[in-house]
Amino acid sequence: MLVLASASPRRQSILKNAGYVFDVFAAKGEELLISGKPEKAALELAKAKAFEVSAELKRLKGSEAVSGMVFLSADTIVVLNNEIMGKPVDEAEAVGMLKALSGKRHTVITAVCILREDTVRLFFGKTSVEFFELSDNDISMYVKSGDCYDKAGAYGIQEKGAFLVKGIRGDFYNVMGLPLAKTARELKNFGIKPQWQ
């Protein structure tokens, strides 16, 4: 049984559209970004989510009920000039992030943790994203749309944020929040496959 340890509607949509059957039990812990290497910071956050949800379900259902469950968690960050951008806390921070990303290329890292009992698999995907030059009006309209919140770097590529993106190099789904092909191969090692396979 697969449990997605994430409240992200993007991750749920990616897995559902790929044909996976899963339950959702979101991690509630605060996402505190660790300073240092971006990949390590994202991996630590993803791992913390999986372990938090596993422990909470053990508490609620008992160890036996949880023993066969496979927990999947992920954390997405945006990196510009080695600086990590998480989710904006307010409109001003969202505007600042988008101004910083305007006309530049940045990296999106999505770290993934797969956990079953004592077996842990950690990995990440990296995608290079280039933004168009954005005017103040472009940024203001996008922020006012509300699409910038609850997303690393203050944008979502799969929705209105697509208008900001000049091009990408790498996995599109990684920018959405889950490097799907890589994750599918890892899940297969845990005996989890989509329904159509």
Side-chain angles (χ1 to χ4, degrees):
M1 178 186 170
L2 179 62
V3 176
L4 176 63
S6 172
S8 164
R10 276 88 55 194
R11 292 188 187 112
Q12 292 172 36
S13 172
I14 290 169
L15 284 175
K16 188 178 174 189
N17 290 339
Y20 285 96
V21 175
F22 57 95
D23 286 339
V24 177
F25 196 98
K28 293 180 175 66
E30 197 177 348
E31 291 184 16
L32 294 171
L33 282 171
I34 302 150
S35 59
K37 198 169 181 194
E39 294 88 345
K40 187 179 178 205
L43 285 167
E44 287 296 324
L45 285 170
K47 185 178 174 184
K49 289 177 186 179
F51 274 84
E52 179 200 322
V53 169
S54 170
E56 182 63 9
L57 281 177
K58 270 181 195 164
R59 189 184 68 77
L60 293 171
K61 298 187 174 195
S63 295
E64 271 188 44
V66 176
S67 66
M69 290 182 182
V70 175
F71 296 90
L72 172 66
S73 62
D75 193 81
T76 301
I77 58 172
V78 166
V79 183
L80 177 69
N81 302 326
N82 268 342
E83 292 290 319
I84 298 173
M85 290 183 176
K87 298 168 184 173
V89 295
D90 55 25
E91 184 176 319
E93 191 172 24
V95 168
M97 286 180 177
L98 293 167
K99 280 189 175 182
L101 295 171
S102 172
K104 297 191 185 85
R105 186 172 285 283
H106 62 273
T107 303
V108 178
I109 298 168
T110 296
V112 180
C113 177
I114 302 174
L115 167 69
R116 182 176 59 207
E117 294 167 9
D118 295 330
T119 306
V120 183
R121 179 73 181 106
L122 290 166
F123 57 95
F124 60 86
K126 271 175 130 173
T127 305
S128 176
V129 181
E130 185 180 2
F131 267 25
F132 284 106
E133 288 282 352
L134 306 176
S135 67
D136 288 347
N137 189 50
D138 291 333
I139 292 170
S140 175
M141 280 196 305
Y142 181 66
V143 170
K144 281 190 172 74
S145 79
D147 193 52
C148 62
Y149 299 108
D150 195 38
K151 295 176 179 81
Y155 78 96
I157 196 170
Q158 72 285 357
E159 294 164 4
K160 298 175 191 79
F163 288 88
L164 313 175
V165 176
K166 190 172 184 179
I168 73 168
R169 280 192 226 133
D171 183 350
F172 173 85
Y173 290 105
N174 185 62
V175 186
M176 261 183 86
L178 191 70
L180 179 59
K182 197 179 272 195
T183 301
R185 281 161 174 75
E186 296 292 346
L187 284 173
K188 200 172 178 181
N189 294 328
F190 285 79
I192 304 288
K193 296 180 186 178
Q195 282 187 310
W196 54 272
Q197 284 188 354

